[in-house]
Amino acid sequence: MKAPILHVESPAGRKHLRIGDTERHRTVAEILRRHGLPLNTRCGQRGTCNGCVIELLDGELMHVPTNQIVASNGTAKLLRGCEHRPCGSAARIRLTARGLLAYQPQVLTDFNVNVPRAHDPLIQRLAVTPAQMQNLAEVLQTDRPVRLAEGLVAPPCEATITVEHRGDHWRVTAVEAQPPVTPLLGAAIDIGTTTVAVLLVDLADGKVLSRAACFNQQMHLGDDVVTRITLCASDPANVAHLQEAVAQRTVGPLLTEALRRAGAAAESLACLSVVGNTTMLHLLAGVDPTPMGVAPFTAPFLEHRALDAGQILPDIAAPRAPLHLLPSAAAYIGADLTAGILASGLAYDDGPSLLVDVGTNGEIILKHEGRLYGCATAAGPAFEGAGLACGIRAGDGAISHLRFTADPFAVEFELIGEERHVRPAGLCGSAYVDFLSLARRSGVLGATGRFNRSVGQAAARIMPAGNDLAFRIADAPGGRGIVITQHDVAALLQAKAAIAAGIVTLLQRCGVGPAEIRTLYLAGGFGTHLSPEHAIGCGLLPGFRLEQIRPVGNSALAGAYAAMLDATLLEEISRISRQIEVVELNLDPRFEENFIEQLALP
């Protein structure tokens, strides 16, 4: 039988893929991944999102769940790549920018450390005299938790020793008669569910030498932590697959790129400080996160861990370089939050104050009367574009902000990558927040989120879309246009209601109202790029005022950076993680009531 051919049109050009015997029964998504064109399979190929949508332009494909043939019949058809496979002799498909993982993400690497720090890095070199070496040798012979690396002998002259912090003790790892030529470099790493950011730092002075960021390659296997935990529960082998995706295919290449940009050698990389949500840290360490997926949501570990980087990132860092996983507070309050509490200054704020990190999980920390309370609410991936008609993550081609003008009515927008002459490919979360606020203010949306087709000039942009209604934002290549549907609005209202209800419920627990909050620290990439005005206007931050809100950038990365350069701050983050009182929203009867109330637009 003649091998079928899949003709593929994409923003990168055209490819003609001959489907071999081993690929005949694979889905289009699987075939494209094997040929270097991975689709945005955000739900782990479970057919519950539209991230991997393709256009069938000509020929036939088989719908796997029903075993039915779908033919183009001269009309382009939108199909999920994870649910269809080749059949017949040939098919021609088109891939859109939003359906691919190939676009450049926008990742926040800007940060501020809003607390004072000393310079006491987790690994450092010290010059010592012979007398000091003798004193050190005496200390090393005691039962104190400090030990000289096996086989090393103190030289008879002034020497340089290398010491590293392992959480509960310092350890001498090298004694050298001559000052080393190779510098000591460290990497601060923020492993997010969607993106990963790396800072390469000179440990001698704390200078940031280079930055690098990209998508977390675990995205190929699942869009959110729940999906990835479920994968591990269904097949323990997926723990290793997910570890390889984040370590070998994400963090490793980022470190290589950061070293290249700084003109530094891999053997200089002597220390890594890592933050992320609790699931990401488990997967990086190769620890099964399955217990966090079922009640009582118990994490196998929460405390600070110091691992050997060479075991996780061979050929990237020095073989025995310590890789520090910063401490988490609970299964859904991770090291990204504990590090952010420190770096933002919330830990030392008189309060009452809030730290809010808006994402797939809305994570909220309240400081009140000297105590810390924390909760997480599952907002879902709508603010990252999943399941929305034209939703994409923040990256080149994403519309990031909207403005409505009147008389005549028009929609203006900001585009990520506009200076690189990219075309609009979709909308990211910050633009959707703008839309909810602007559309409510202008009357395009009612309080319940329904489109108002008698709103005047703006009504001309409201159009039928199958069995739905859609509001046209912009034109796009191919003539399909970039729209926001009534279904999109419903999904967005659920996401914003989950976060808003989490905030309200946490405040109610402590008897505090929004007006009493001194500072609301808005953290993370999404939070930093949000319009605070529109976040308030759509009810995402319910009842707050503009002057209360303070964007703090990537506070998680800031905490990783600070802890790497000051060992006492690592100890402080450990203290903070133990101090947080975790509030389980699913056990608070007020949360459901608040969620229903927050579904409305103000």
Side-chain angles (χ1 to χ4, degrees):
M1 181 184 295
K2 188 176 180 181
I5 297 178
L6 192 63
H7 302 283
V8 183
E9 299 178 9
S10 78
R14 297 186 178 187
K15 283 191 175 184
H16 307 284
L17 310 180
R18 191 172 297 277
I19 310 303
D21 291 340
T22 61
E23 294 182 324
R24 287 180 185 272
H25 298 289
R26 294 185 182 274
T27 65
V28 171
E30 291 170 329
I31 292 168
L32 291 173
R33 181 184 295 118
R34 290 162 68 95
H35 289 272
L37 289 170
L39 292 177
N40 200 356
T41 49
R42 310 185 64 173
C43 64
Q45 300 189 60
R46 291 180 289 122
T48 59
C49 76
N50 292 318
C52 64
V53 164
I54 61 173
E55 289 183 84
L56 176 62
L57 303 177
D58 193 23
E60 300 175 340
L61 293 173
M62 175 74 74
H63 186 234
V64 176
T66 62
N67 211 34
Q68 298 292 314
I69 291 177
V70 180
S72 68
N73 296 325
T75 303
K77 293 189 174 180
L78 294 176
L79 306 173
R80 288 174 175 153
C82 69
E83 292 185 333
H84 294 80
R85 65 173 178 83
C87 64
S89 60
R92 184 164 61 93
I93 64 173
R94 179 162 58 207
L95 312 182
T96 63
R98 66 178 290 262
L100 289 168
L101 283 177
Y103 65 93
Q104 180 65 31
Q106 183 182 53
V107 184
L108 184 68
T109 59
D110 294 333
F111 66 91
N112 290 299
V113 178
N114 296 326
V115 294
R117 67 169 180 85
H119 188 72
D120 190 18
L122 296 178
I123 186 166
Q124 53 190 286
R125 289 182 179 134
L126 304 170
V128 293
T129 65
Q132 290 172 325
M133 284 301 304
Q134 179 61 39
N135 292 336
L136 178 61
E138 292 173 0
V139 170
L140 296 172
Q141 291 170 7
T142 71
D143 59 358
R144 296 185 188 181
V146 183
R147 57 186 181 274
L148 190 64
E150 187 176 347
L152 292 176
V153 179
C157 60
E158 183 170 313
T160 299
I161 65 170
T162 302
V163 295
E164 71 175 47
H165 186 63
R166 282 279 171 164
D168 60 351
H169 66 275
W170 288 89
R171 183 175 69 175
V172 180
T173 59
V175 180
E176 299 166 273
Q178 301 296 326
V181 176
T182 305
L184 283 180
L185 305 183
I189 305 171
D190 174 22
I191 300 180
T193 309
T194 303
T195 55
V196 177
V198 168
L199 299 177
L200 187 68
V201 179
D202 188 334
L203 296 177
D205 57 14
K207 180 181 179 182
V208 176
L209 302 178
S210 63
R211 306 167 189 244
C214 72
F215 283 129
N216 185 337
Q217 294 303 304
Q218 290 179 343
M219 288 165 49
H220 293 291
L221 298 167
D223 193 52
D224 52 38
V225 294
V226 174
T227 303
R228 296 174 201 176
I229 291 173
T230 303
L231 285 172
C232 296
S234 64
D235 183 355
N238 283 323
V239 176
H241 295 324
L242 286 161
Q243 183 189 35
E244 189 269 341
V246 69
Q248 304 300 317
R249 293 193 281 119
T250 306
V251 175
L254 285 177
L255 289 171
T256 299
E257 176 63 15
L259 288 164
R260 185 194 64 78
R261 291 178 180 177
E267 56 266 25
S268 300
L269 187 55
C271 180
L272 297 90
S273 173
V274 184
V275 295
N277 65 55
T278 314
T279 300
M280 292 302 100
L281 297 190
H282 279 67
L283 291 174
L284 180 66
V287 177
D288 187 357
T290 298
M292 292 188 285
V294 294
F297 311 109
T298 303
F301 73 90
L302 295 171
E303 71 282 356
H304 163 251
R305 282 195 172 188
L307 311 175
D308 285 337
Q311 295 180 0
I312 296 173
L313 298 163
D315 304 321
I316 302 297
R320 296 295 304 279
L323 185 152
H324 295 271
L325 302 179
L326 271 59
S328 301
Y332 290 96
I333 300 178
D336 49 353
L337 265 292
T338 59
I341 291 169
L342 174 105
S344 66
L346 175 73
Y348 312 105
D349 193 316
D350 291 336
S353 294
L354 279 174
L355 174 70
V356 179
D357 191 338
V358 182
T360 305
N361 288 312
E363 295 145 328
I364 307 151
I365 304 293
L366 170 64
K367 174 75 177 292
H368 179 55
E369 294 182 346
R371 301 174 66 180
L372 291 170
Y373 304 85
C375 69
T377 175
F383 284 132
E384 293 185 352
L388 307 185
C390 295
I392 62 175
R393 295 181 175 94
D396 281 358
I399 293 174
S400 60
H401 284 291
L402 297 175
R403 289 182 296 273
F404 287 3
T405 62
D407 205 22
F409 181 86
V411 177
E412 298 176 349
F413 59 82
E414 295 177 18
L415 186 66
I416 299 174
E418 190 169 15
E419 68 280 3
R420 292 182 287 279
H421 307 292
V422 300
R423 294 183 177 183
L427 299 123
C428 66
S430 53
Y432 283 115
V433 170
D434 290 347
F435 177 78
L436 292 178
S437 177
L438 293 168
R440 174 64 177 137
R441 185 192 305 171
S442 64
V444 169
L445 290 176
T448 61
R450 305 296 299 179
F451 282 122
N452 180 4
R453 303 190 73 178
S454 59
V455 74
Q457 295 181 20
R461 287 181 174 261
I462 302 173
M463 62 192 75
N467 296 324
D468 206 350
L469 289 176
F471 184 91
R472 182 173 58 84
I473 297 294
D475 297 324
R480 291 172 52 218
I482 294 174
V483 299
I484 297 175
T485 69
Q486 189 71 74
H487 175 271
D488 293 345
V489 173
L492 291 164
L493 289 182
Q494 290 190 51
K496 81 95 180 174
I499 294 168
I503 293 172
V504 170
T505 305
L506 195 60
L507 293 179
Q508 287 174 339
R509 182 181 180 89
C510 295
V512 179
E516 299 172 69
I517 295 297
R518 295 181 58 182
T519 306
L520 190 158
Y521 299 95
L522 204 52
F526 183 39
T528 298
H529 290 103
L530 278 179
S531 160
E533 177 188 359
H534 293 152
I536 294 170
C538 75
L540 179 65
L541 302 176
F544 291 92
R545 305 181 308 277
L546 279 177
E547 59 268 25
Q548 293 171 284
I549 298 174
R550 180 181 176 185
V552 290
N554 191 333
S555 59
L557 190 62
Y561 167 85
M564 183 171 61
L565 292 170
D566 184 352
T568 61
L569 293 185
L570 174 58
E571 296 166 4
E572 183 67 359
I573 293 173
S574 294
R575 185 192 66 81
I576 288 169
S577 70
R578 296 188 297 269
Q579 184 184 350
I580 297 172
E581 182 178 329
V582 178
V583 176
E584 299 287 356
L585 294 176
N586 61 311
L587 301 179
D588 192 321
R590 292 170 295 190
F591 177 73
E592 184 175 355
E593 179 182 338
N594 289 331
F595 175 78
I596 294 171
E597 183 178 336
Q598 295 300 326
L599 283 170
L601 289 166

